[in-house]
Amino acid sequence: TPRMLVPALLVLLFCFRGRAGMSPHFLQQPEDLVVLLGEEARLPCALGAYGGLVQWTKDGLALGGERDLPGWSRYWISGNAASGHHDLHIRPVELEDEAWYECQATQAGLRSRPAQLHILVPPEPPLVLGGPSVSLVAGVPANLTCRSRGDARPTPELLWFRDGIQLDGTTFHQTVPKEGTTGSMESTLSLTPSRRDDGATLVCRAQSQALPVGRDTAITLSLQYPPEVTLSAEPQTVQEGEKVTFLCQATAQPPVTGYRWAKGGSPVLGARGPMLEVLADASFLTEPVSCEVSNAVGSANRSTALDVLFGPILQAKPEPVSVDVGGDASFSCAWRGNPPPRVTWTRRGGSQVLGSGPALRLPSVGPEDAGDYVCRAAPGLPGLGGGAAEARLTVNAPPVVTALHSAPAFLSGPARLQCLVFASPAPEAVVWSWDEGFLAAGSQGRFLVETFPAPEGRGGQSPGLISVLHISGTQESDFSRGFNCSARNRLGEGGTRVSLGRRDLLPTVRIVAGVAAAAMTLLMVITGVTLCCWCYGKASGSFSEQKNMVRIPGSSDGSSSRAPEQEETGSHEDQGPMVLTDHSDPVQDEEGALETKDPTNGYYKVRGVSVSLSLGEAPGGGLFLPPPSPLGPPGTPTFYDFNPHLGMVPPCRLYRAWAGYLTTPHPRAFTSYLKPTSFGPPDLAPGTPPFPYAAFPTPSHQRLQTHV
């Protein structure tokens, strides 16, 4: 029935849950274990609800299922198998037993967690190198080494003790173990023993987890020391030639084995004992006497110098100093003397004391501080002499440029400008500049630059440079403008302006030029007056006769010269002045005008002054006015009188003169076609007044200079 079925199901469910709770399982699993070498190790293992085969493995290798584990004489399994206890025992434990172990229920497929077995090996007593009695030297640093022995696990710690107190200053070093072996440990104690450490006992202790109390090794110090030397001289203060006794005393362990004397580092031959007698001389001032004492441990050396009175001796001379402007400069020198000398600093050439003592400091120096500084030593006692040493201070500053005297130059001639440059450090370049350009070296157009060292440098400065600017063919602008000479270094630049002076002509040349200018001015005035008269005559009359008219080529009304084409061909509108003669050979041109032929065909062209007469509307006769003759009397006008040969009467009593080209006016120049001596009296119109120049004499010179 349904009521009876429910209880039955509950009983079955209870029974099923009971069988599920009885499945194989571990009640206890092995744990990691640490044991000492030689002792017993026990690894527990307990199983529940399991009655099958149980076995142990070592690093994965099965040890077997029997309780006595055949083949493993030091291994066995203990406990009640029915109750599920299967403990593994190992006795005595050896180093090879250190491994990973597992407990396995093979039929149930159960494995415990791995358990590691650690084997501890207690350290052995350490070894102190050099023990049990270690010999040390007083005052000499030494190292004591303590080394562990055996295969202690873990590696032991080595400690040093003296009188139960741990010592500091130890260092440790562990050697790298070979495969399958353990490494050794060393401890080094560093100390500097003294004489009171003789016979002291030191302990080196090795301790570890396997043996916390550790194991000790003791040593005894046997201290040795080299000689301790004292050296004295009697008397200590001497003069040259006096006898001096040196005494060398020493204490040592082990005892002294020998003495060695030296003077200035060189052995004193024949000196063997603790005493040395010498006669003092000048060499003992700088070469002290030394005594070296030796024993089995080592040697010691002491030296002493005699107290001798002497004057200053230079030991360290001052060195040259180079600083930038605004920086600080320092000098130092060292003098030796007995008594000590008094040291002062001055500037060379000056008497002012700048400082005293072995050092001199100059703050914020400027270019004016450059120069030589003297370190002077005065003796401590009169009569011992003195000494001095000097060093140069170089002040690095921007270049200082100075214009040098340059000679004046003629216009269009050569010129030379110079400047002097002082700079420290040396300038990168010296540059000349002017309005339209600049030049540092070489040539450019009319300009050439040369730079070379100056003969001497200023005190405290590097040698100067002279830069020269050459100008070929000076121009007017060169005298009015300025030339700049500039230089630059890393500290800045400097420059100066140099002007070119002009050299005037000699006084005689100036006088001649003045006279020539005055003459030209006078000629211009005469020309102007003559033009006025000519214009007046042209407006009031005309030529009455046109025969025997001679043209003077190259002269016209409005200009001082005519082009060559116009001179050769001529024109109707512009013809040269005409002179009436009996020997002319007139030729009529196409328009009927009379024209006199030039027998030289224009070969002779003489620049001079023409004097024309205004004769009515047509051009008047031409007249040449030569320069004053150097042979005639002073003040005598030098005119050619053509009045008797002209068949016209000028309406004006004035001359007109202007510059122009005329056919040679001298009578000898007309010999081929003009004969002045055959002229008769001129034909004057009735009522015409005579020429005002009719009384002028004939020129006295008979030659005419011409330009061919």
Side-chain angles (χ1 to χ4, degrees):
T1 64
R3 291 184 177 181
M4 295 180 67
L5 182 60
V6 172
L9 292 175
L10 291 175
V11 172
L12 291 175
L13 179 61
F14 178 79
C15 292
F16 176 79
R17 291 186 60 185
R19 288 186 60 88
M22 294 301 293
S23 62
H25 60 279
F26 282 102
L27 299 177
Q28 186 179 6
Q29 298 189 50
E31 301 286 345
D32 292 345
L33 181 63
V34 178
V35 296
L36 291 177
L37 181 67
E39 296 184 355
E40 181 180 343
R42 175 179 172 274
L43 298 173
C45 178
L47 292 166
Y50 181 75
L53 178 64
V54 176
Q55 69 174 4
W56 284 85
T57 62
K58 176 184 178 181
D59 289 337
L61 176 64
L63 300 179
E66 292 81 357
R67 307 295 285 185
D68 56 354
L69 297 178
W72 303 87
S73 59
R74 295 179 293 107
Y75 290 60
W76 73 91
I77 298 175
S78 67
N80 188 354
S83 60
H85 292 278
H86 307 273
D87 300 337
L88 176 64
H89 293 261
I90 305 173
R91 188 179 60 186
V93 174
E94 297 180 359
L95 292 178
E96 63 183 18
D97 298 331
E98 192 170 78
W100 292 90
Y101 295 88
E102 289 184 1
C103 179
Q104 299 178 354
T106 56
Q107 295 175 347
L110 295 178
R111 299 174 61 180
S112 69
R113 62 173 171 266
Q116 186 176 15
L117 178 60
H118 296 278
I119 310 299
L120 299 182
V121 180
E124 297 181 4
L127 173 65
V128 178
L129 302 182
S133 179
V134 178
S135 180
L136 301 179
V137 179
V140 178
N143 294 326
L144 299 179
T145 301
C146 180
R147 181 179 299 167
S148 64
R149 294 187 298 177
D151 296 328
R153 294 189 181 187
T155 302
E157 182 181 10
L158 302 177
L159 305 176
W160 289 91
F161 294 88
R162 179 175 179 176
D163 300 332
I165 300 174
Q166 184 175 346
L167 301 178
D168 296 328
T170 58
T171 59
F172 295 93
H173 173 72
Q174 184 175 9
T175 60
V176 179
K178 296 181 180 179
E179 185 177 357
T181 62
T182 59
S184 63
M185 186 70 181
E186 288 185 357
S187 175
T188 302
L189 174 64
S190 300
L191 73 163
T192 303
S194 62
R195 294 181 59 181
R196 66 176 180 271
D197 296 328
D198 188 27
T201 300
L202 300 182
V203 174
C204 178
R205 177 176 300 170
Q207 62 182 27
S208 67
Q209 181 183 356
L211 188 62
V213 296
R215 292 181 176 176
D216 299 339
T217 298
I219 61 170
T220 302
L221 299 181
S222 176
L223 200 64
Q224 296 181 349
Y225 53 91
E228 295 180 355
V229 181
T230 58
L231 179 61
S232 61
E234 184 64 32
Q236 185 67 36
T237 302
V238 296
Q239 293 182 356
E240 188 174 5
E242 291 185 349
K243 182 180 179 180
V244 179
T245 300
F246 294 92
L247 182 61
C248 185
Q249 297 176 325
T251 58
Q253 179 63 36
V256 174
T257 57
Y259 294 86
R260 180 177 178 270
W261 292 90
K263 174 178 172 287
S266 299
V268 178
L269 301 179
R272 293 290 185 268
M275 184 179 296
L276 175 65
E277 291 183 353
V278 296
L279 294 178
D281 57 26
S283 63
F284 286 89
L285 301 178
T286 56
E287 298 177 2
V289 175
S290 62
C291 175
E292 182 179 2
V293 184
S294 304
N295 68 353
V297 176
S299 62
N301 189 302
R302 293 293 181 270
S303 62
T304 184
L306 297 179
D307 185 12
V308 180
L309 300 178
F310 58 91
I313 299 176
L314 181 63
Q315 290 184 312
K317 64 180 298 183
E319 298 294 335
V321 177
S322 176
V323 296
D324 292 346
V325 62
D328 297 342
S330 298
F331 294 96
S332 63
C333 67
W335 292 90
R336 177 174 172 263
N338 189 26
R342 179 176 177 269
V343 180
T344 57
W345 292 86
T346 59
R347 193 166 181 175
R348 188 173 69 174
S351 58
Q352 181 182 1
V353 176
L354 304 177
S356 59
L360 173 66
R361 180 176 179 272
L362 301 174
S364 302
V365 296
E368 67 280 359
D369 297 318
D372 296 324
Y373 289 82
V374 181
C375 175
R376 196 178 308 277
L381 292 177
L384 297 180
E390 64 181 37
R392 172 162 294 186
L393 170 61
T394 301
V395 179
N396 300 323
V400 177
V401 184
T402 306
L404 298 179
H405 173 71
S406 300
F410 289 107
L411 180 64
S412 301
R416 186 175 70 172
L417 302 178
Q418 302 179 94
C419 68
L420 177 61
V421 180
F422 284 108
S424 178
E428 301 169 0
V430 181
V431 180
W432 286 88
S433 60
W434 54 94
D435 295 340
E436 66 273 8
F438 64 91
L439 185 61
S443 61
Q444 175 182 329
R446 300 182 297 115
F447 302 96
L448 170 67
V449 171
E450 291 181 326
T451 302
F452 50 88
E456 292 184 358
R458 293 181 180 177
Q461 294 186 353
S462 59
L465 297 176
I466 294 180
S467 183
V468 182
L469 175 64
H470 298 274
I471 306 175
S472 62
T474 58
Q475 300 177 358
E476 282 287 350
S477 59
D478 296 336
F479 300 100
S480 59
R481 62 184 170 191
F483 294 86
N484 293 321
C485 177
S486 59
R488 172 187 291 274
N489 61 10
R490 64 178 178 82
L491 298 175
E493 64 178 333
T496 187
R497 184 181 179 90
V498 185
S499 298
L500 177 61
R502 183 165 183 171
R503 186 175 181 182
D504 295 332
L505 298 175
L506 296 176
T508 303
V509 178
R510 287 184 291 182
I511 293 174
V512 173
V515 172
M520 290 299 296
T521 303
L522 179 60
L523 290 177
M524 293 175 63
V525 172
I526 295 175
T527 302
V529 175
T530 305
L531 284 174
C532 292
C533 294
W534 185 82
C535 292
Y536 174 79
K538 183 177 180 180
S540 60
S542 61
F543 285 107
S544 61
E545 295 181 14
Q546 294 187 1
K547 66 177 180 177
N548 297 329
M549 297 182 67
V550 178
R551 179 186 303 164
I552 302 177
S555 177
S556 63
D557 296 335
S559 65
S560 61
S561 62
R562 178 184 297 271
E565 296 80 359
Q566 294 175 344
E567 292 182 21
E568 296 178 10
T569 60
S571 65
H572 181 71
E573 292 80 45
D574 187 10
Q575 296 180 353
M578 304 295 294
V579 179
L580 297 176
T581 67
D582 293 336
H583 300 278
S584 300
D585 188 11
V587 179
Q588 188 173 7
D589 58 11
E590 296 177 356
E591 298 187 10
L594 295 178
E595 187 177 25
T596 302
K597 291 185 178 180
D598 183 1
T600 65
N601 293 324
Y603 184 81
Y604 293 98
K605 297 293 184 177
V606 181
R607 179 180 296 274
V609 178
S610 64
V611 179
S612 63
L613 304 178
S614 299
L615 304 176
E617 295 296 329
L623 186 63
F624 178 74
L625 182 61
S629 172
L631 303 178
T636 302
T638 54
F639 295 97
Y640 284 94
D641 188 7
F642 285 91
N643 184 50
H645 314 296
L646 299 178
M648 62 194 77
V649 178
C652 180
R653 298 176 179 270
L654 300 178
Y655 295 99
R656 177 180 305 167
W658 66 85
Y661 284 93
L662 298 177
T663 307
T664 177
H666 197 277
R668 294 180 59 182
F670 294 91
T671 55
S672 62
Y673 61 97
L674 182 63
K675 299 179 180 180
T677 58
S678 63
F679 288 153
D683 297 331
L684 299 179
T688 302
F691 284 177
Y693 51 83
F696 289 168
T698 302
S700 59
H701 60 280
Q702 298 300 318
R703 300 186 64 182
L704 176 66
Q705 294 182 352
T706 61
H707 296 277
V708 179

